[in-house]
PDB file of all heavy atoms in Angstrom:
ATOM      1  N   GLN A 316    -105.623  18.474 152.331  1.00  0.00           N
ATOM      2  CA  GLN A 316    -105.891  17.036 152.337  1.00  0.00           C
ATOM      3  C   GLN A 316    -104.672  16.207 151.947  1.00  0.00           C
ATOM      4  O   GLN A 316    -104.407  15.156 152.545  1.00  0.00           O
ATOM      5  CB  GLN A 316    -107.055  16.717 151.396  1.00  0.00           C
ATOM      6  CG  GLN A 316    -106.725  16.823 149.910  1.00  0.00           C
ATOM      7  CD  GLN A 316    -107.939  16.668 149.023  1.00  0.00           C
ATOM      8  OE1 GLN A 316    -109.020  17.106 149.364  1.00  0.00           O
ATOM      9  NE2 GLN A 316    -107.745  16.049 147.877  1.00  0.00           N
ATOM     10  N   GLY A 317    -103.897  16.678 150.948  1.00  0.00           N
ATOM     11  CA  GLY A 317    -102.731  15.916 150.481  1.00  0.00           C
ATOM     12  C   GLY A 317    -101.696  15.704 151.566  1.00  0.00           C
ATOM     13  O   GLY A 317    -101.325  14.564 151.878  1.00  0.00           O
ATOM     14  N   PRO A 318    -101.201  16.791 152.201  1.00  0.00           N
ATOM     15  CA  PRO A 318    -100.202  16.611 153.262  1.00  0.00           C
ATOM     16  C   PRO A 318    -100.703  15.785 154.438  1.00  0.00           C
ATOM     17  O   PRO A 318     -99.941  15.000 155.014  1.00  0.00           O
ATOM     18  CB  PRO A 318     -99.903  18.062 153.696  1.00  0.00           C
ATOM     19  CG  PRO A 318    -100.257  18.895 152.520  1.00  0.00           C
ATOM     20  CD  PRO A 318    -101.405  18.207 151.865  1.00  0.00           C
ATOM     21  N   VAL A 319    -101.973  15.946 154.812  1.00  0.00           N
ATOM     22  CA  VAL A 319    -102.519  15.211 155.956  1.00  0.00           C
ATOM     23  C   VAL A 319    -102.572  13.710 155.650  1.00  0.00           C
ATOM     24  O   VAL A 319    -102.192  12.870 156.479  1.00  0.00           O
ATOM     25  CB  VAL A 319    -103.923  15.736 156.332  1.00  0.00           C
ATOM     26  CG1 VAL A 319    -104.556  14.850 157.404  1.00  0.00           C
ATOM     27  CG2 VAL A 319    -103.826  17.164 156.845  1.00  0.00           C
ATOM     28  N   ILE A 320    -103.056  13.347 154.457  1.00  0.00           N
ATOM     29  CA  ILE A 320    -103.118  11.934 154.058  1.00  0.00           C
ATOM     30  C   ILE A 320    -101.711  11.348 153.979  1.00  0.00           C
ATOM     31  O   ILE A 320    -101.461  10.231 154.451  1.00  0.00           O
ATOM     32  CB  ILE A 320    -103.850  11.778 152.718  1.00  0.00           C
ATOM     33  CG1 ILE A 320    -105.342  12.096 152.889  1.00  0.00           C
ATOM     34  CG2 ILE A 320    -103.677  10.355 152.159  1.00  0.00           C
ATOM     35  CD1 ILE A 320    -106.130  12.066 151.592  1.00  0.00           C
ATOM     36  N   ALA A 321    -100.774  12.097 153.385  1.00  0.00           N
ATOM     37  CA  ALA A 321     -99.392  11.615 153.255  1.00  0.00           C
ATOM     38  C   ALA A 321     -98.768  11.372 154.625  1.00  0.00           C
ATOM     39  O   ALA A 321     -98.097  10.356 154.845  1.00  0.00           O
ATOM     40  CB  ALA A 321     -98.561  12.621 152.461  1.00  0.00           C
ATOM     41  N   LEU A 322     -98.999  12.296 155.565  1.00  0.00           N
ATOM     42  CA  LEU A 322     -98.463  12.127 156.921  1.00  0.00           C
ATOM     43  C   LEU A 322     -99.068  10.910 157.600  1.00  0.00           C
ATOM     44  O   LEU A 322     -98.353  10.127 158.245  1.00  0.00           O
ATOM     45  CB  LEU A 322     -98.747  13.394 157.744  1.00  0.00           C
ATOM     46  CG  LEU A 322     -98.304  13.353 159.208  1.00  0.00           C
ATOM     47  CD1 LEU A 322     -96.796  13.177 159.310  1.00  0.00           C
ATOM     48  CD2 LEU A 322     -98.751  14.624 159.943  1.00  0.00           C
ATOM     49  N   GLY A 323    -100.378  10.716 157.460  1.00  0.00           N
ATOM     50  CA  GLY A 323    -101.045   9.572 158.075  1.00  0.00           C
ATOM     51  C   GLY A 323    -100.526   8.245 157.538  1.00  0.00           C
ATOM     52  O   GLY A 323    -100.255   7.316 158.304  1.00  0.00           O
ATOM     53  N   VAL A 324    -100.385   8.153 156.209  1.00  0.00           N
ATOM     54  CA  VAL A 324     -99.886   6.916 155.585  1.00  0.00           C
ATOM     55  C   VAL A 324     -98.436   6.655 156.002  1.00  0.00           C
ATOM     56  O   VAL A 324     -98.059   5.515 156.310  1.00  0.00           O
ATOM     57  CB  VAL A 324     -99.996   7.015 154.044  1.00  0.00           C
ATOM     58  CG1 VAL A 324     -99.284   5.839 153.378  1.00  0.00           C
ATOM     59  CG2 VAL A 324    -101.461   7.044 153.617  1.00  0.00           C
TER      60      VAL A 324
END
Side-chain angles (χ1 to χ4, degrees):
Q316 73 187 36
V319 173
I320 291 176
L322 177 62
V324 171

